[in-house]
């Protein structure tokens, strides 16, 4: 099997990334998100309209390189194309859940001057243009060939990932509209709305539901993690296709009651993790300066311009100031380290800012989160 055959074979067998599933969340690249959250990310960034031209160009150039002799100029051009594409991807929220910076570092490592010389030397060796003894040099060339195969795979994976995201965002858009139209709230209603979607002849035509069912492929292994001194068995899933992960996350989200809804005031899509009668988002409406959820409870807001409120006038500021003074005092008394105190300050700032834009959170959870003992407990975690 030659070099090109190796690359093409690995396209369907190489594990791209792994995802660990914990309760109603998934962890990827050392960060945790609610299950189903990818549906919000692709809708929030309008991923249905990504310009594919630069990604198609990368794919064509990758195929071209596989069918010609290796040379330094082509390798440098290939590296530049991939870096440019990664920079474009980093503008979209859905791709930020992956370690984009690390990907760029890997590409640069694959195309150092030293590596490029090894790639050229490996090709001459495979064409019997020169011979070497079986030694460390041969091992070095073989390892270099594996790195080059991976570099070519990245080119193919990135170009296909964009198409997969566009496809996924279109599916999410159509399903969400069906859910909103059906006023689906409970898990049973979500299931019924989804059933309507997959049985709609028009949707079948667009997404080839009959000929290409929503099947996914993955490798699942058990992993054991410890939380607060208690060991738990979790599932870690290795994906070799981005679409498989996205579709799995979408379906898992519905199973857990995590879904998108469209705000009746600003028409933005927002993400919910509980099946409740929420019709409006908690995003600050730029026109009125308060969240849409607040506007819904106070329609008079739309009839007059809101007077800008000072921070000290906030109902939630008093509690924040109380906690801030306590943290500062405890630090001065050396009850807690400077690092813990700084983290505690970050937490109360975060909760305070959240309370000022999310009125449901402010009314139902803010005081609980601001309990000083809980603040310190969270601040002392690794």
């Amino acid at each position: 099997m030659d070099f090109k055959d190796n690359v093409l074979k690995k396209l369907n067998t190489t594990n791209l990334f792994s995802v660990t599933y914990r309760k109603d969340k998934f962890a990827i690249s050392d960060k945790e998100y609610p299950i189903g959250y990818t549906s919000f990310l692709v809708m929030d960034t309008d991923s249905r309209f990504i310009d594919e031209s630069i990604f198609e160009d990368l794919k064509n150039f990758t195929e071209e390189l596989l069918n010609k002799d290796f040379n330094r100029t082509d390798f440098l051009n290939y590296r530049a194309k991939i870096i440019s594409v990664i920079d474009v991807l980093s503008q979209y929220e859905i791709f930020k859940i992956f370690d984009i910076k690390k990907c760029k570092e890997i590409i640069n490592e694959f195309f150092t001057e030293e590596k490029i010389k090894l790639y050229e030397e490996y090709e001459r060796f495979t064409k019997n243009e020169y011979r070497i003894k079986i030694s460390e040099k041969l091992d070095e060339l073989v390892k270099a060939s594996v790195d080059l195969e991976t570099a070519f795979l990245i080119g193919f994976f990135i170009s296909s990932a964009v198409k997969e995201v566009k496809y996924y965002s279109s599916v999410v858009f159509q399903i969400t509209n069906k859910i909103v139209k059906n006023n689906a709230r409970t898990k049973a209603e979500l299931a019924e709305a989804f059933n309507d979607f997959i049985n709609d002849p028009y949707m079948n035509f667009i997404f080839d539901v009959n000929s290409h069912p929503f099947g996914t492929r993955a490798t699942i292994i058990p992993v054991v993690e410890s939380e607060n001194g208690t060991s738990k068995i979790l599932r870690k899933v290795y994906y070799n296709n981005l679409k498989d992960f996205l579709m799995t996350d979408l379906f898992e989200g519905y199973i857990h009651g995590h879904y998108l809804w469209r705000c009746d005031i600003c028409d933005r899509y927002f993400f919910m993790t509980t099946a409740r009668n929420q019709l409006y988002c908690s995003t600050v409406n730029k026109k009125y300066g308060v969240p849409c959820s607040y506007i819904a409870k106070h329609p008079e807001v739309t009839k007059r311009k809101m007077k800008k409120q000072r921070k000290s006038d906030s109902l939630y500021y008093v509690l924040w100031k109380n906690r801030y003074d306590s943290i500062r005092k405890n630090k001065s008394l050396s009850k807690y380290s400077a690092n813990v105190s700084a983290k505690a300050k970050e937490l109360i700032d975060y909760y305070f800012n959240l309370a000022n834009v999310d009125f449901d959170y402010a009314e139902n959870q803010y005081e609980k989160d601001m309990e000083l003992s809980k603040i310190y407990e969270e601040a002392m975690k690794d």
Side-chain angles (χ1 to χ4, degrees), residues 103-120:
C103 189
K104 290 178 70 171
E105 291 174 354
I106 291 173
I107 289 298
N108 284 323
E109 289 174 3
F110 280 158
F111 292 105
T112 61
E113 287 293 335
E114 182 180 356
K115 282 289 183 68
I116 290 175
K117 290 179 182 178
L118 287 174
Y119 299 153
E120 293 175 319

Side-chain angles (χ1 to χ4, degrees), residues 339-351:
N339 185 44
V340 169
S341 299
K343 289 182 178 179
K345 172 63 166 52
E346 289 178 3
L347 285 169
I348 64 171
D349 287 348
Y350 171 77
Y351 295 142

Side-chain angles (χ1 to χ4, degrees), residues 51-90:
D51 183 0
E52 291 185 43
S53 58
I54 185 176
F55 305 98
E56 192 65 27
D57 180 54
L58 173 61
K59 179 184 177 183
N60 293 337
F61 192 67
T62 307
E63 292 176 342
E64 182 183 331
L65 287 184
L66 278 176
N67 291 305
K68 62 185 296 188
D69 293 340
F70 298 157
N71 66 74
R72 179 179 179 276
T73 301
D74 283 340
F75 284 139
L76 293 177
N77 288 337
Y78 183 62
R79 180 181 67 181
K81 284 181 180 293
I82 292 185
I83 295 299
S84 295
V85 165
I86 292 175
D87 287 338
V88 173
L89 290 181
S90 64

Side-chain angles (χ1 to χ4, degrees), residues 193-224:
F194 179 72
N195 186 58
D196 288 345
F197 170 80
I198 61 177
N199 287 300
D200 185 323
Y202 179 66
M203 293 298 105
N204 278 314
F205 174 75
I206 294 178
F207 299 110
D208 295 322
V209 175
N210 290 327
S211 58
H212 301 287
F214 295 114
T216 58
R217 301 162 298 163
T219 301
I220 303 175
I221 64 171
V223 293
V224 178

Side-chain angles (χ1 to χ4, degrees), residues 192-333:
E192 291 168 2
F194 179 72
N195 186 58
D196 288 345
F197 170 80
I198 61 177
N199 287 300
D200 185 323
Y202 179 66
M203 293 298 105
N204 278 314
F205 174 75
I206 294 178
F207 299 110
D208 295 322
V209 175
N210 290 327
S211 58
H212 301 287
F214 295 114
T216 58
R217 301 162 298 163
T219 301
I220 303 175
I221 64 171
V223 293
V224 178
E225 291 188 0
S226 180
E227 182 179 347
N228 297 326
T230 302
S231 296
K232 295 182 179 180
I233 299 177
L234 306 174
R235 57 191 171 101
K236 190 171 189 177
V237 182
Y238 288 87
Y239 293 97
N240 55 33
N241 186 293
L242 179 59
K243 179 181 71 68
D244 292 342
F245 161 61
L246 295 175
M247 298 305 291
T248 297
D249 188 49
L250 180 67
F251 303 146
E252 289 277 341
Y254 292 147
I255 291 171
H256 286 81
H258 299 181
Y259 59 100
L260 289 179
W261 197 260
R262 190 173 63 237
C263 179
D264 280 2
I265 293 178
C266 68
D267 288 330
R268 284 173 57 91
Y269 292 92
F270 61 96
F271 186 68
M272 294 193 292
T273 55
T274 57
R276 56 184 177 176
N277 294 322
Q278 182 181 344
L279 296 174
Y280 314 99
C281 69
S282 297
T283 303
V284 174
N285 190 301
K286 293 182 179 180
K287 185 176 180 180
Y288 302 109
V290 292
C292 290
S293 56
Y294 182 82
I295 295 173
K297 297 176 182 178
H298 304 274
E300 70 277 4
V301 169
T302 61
K303 298 177 182 178
R304 60 181 173 81
K305 187 175 181 181
M306 293 289 290
K307 182 180 179 181
K308 190 173 182 181
Q309 180 174 283
R310 294 178 302 173
K311 180 179 178 181
S312 58
D313 290 334
S314 167
L315 295 174
Y316 320 116
Y317 177 78
V318 175
L319 181 56
W320 175 90
K321 185 66 167 59
N322 181 278
R323 296 294 179 263
Y324 173 74
D325 290 342
S326 295
I327 292 170
R328 189 176 180 182
K329 180 179 179 180
N330 288 336
K331 179 185 175 183
S332 66
L333 295 174

Side-chain angles (χ1 to χ4, degrees), residues 105-143:
E105 291 174 354
I106 291 173
I107 289 298
N108 284 323
E109 289 174 3
F110 280 158
F111 292 105
T112 61
E113 287 293 335
E114 182 180 356
K115 282 289 183 68
I116 290 175
K117 290 179 182 178
L118 287 174
Y119 299 153
E120 293 175 319
E121 194 173 351
Y122 173 77
E123 184 181 41
R124 292 198 302 272
F125 170 69
T126 58
K127 290 184 176 181
N128 293 318
E129 293 181 7
Y130 85 109
R131 298 179 181 279
I132 59 174
K133 295 180 180 180
I134 298 177
S135 63
E136 291 183 2
K137 185 65 173 180
L138 178 59
D139 290 339
E140 191 176 14
L141 291 181
V142 171
K143 290 177 181 178

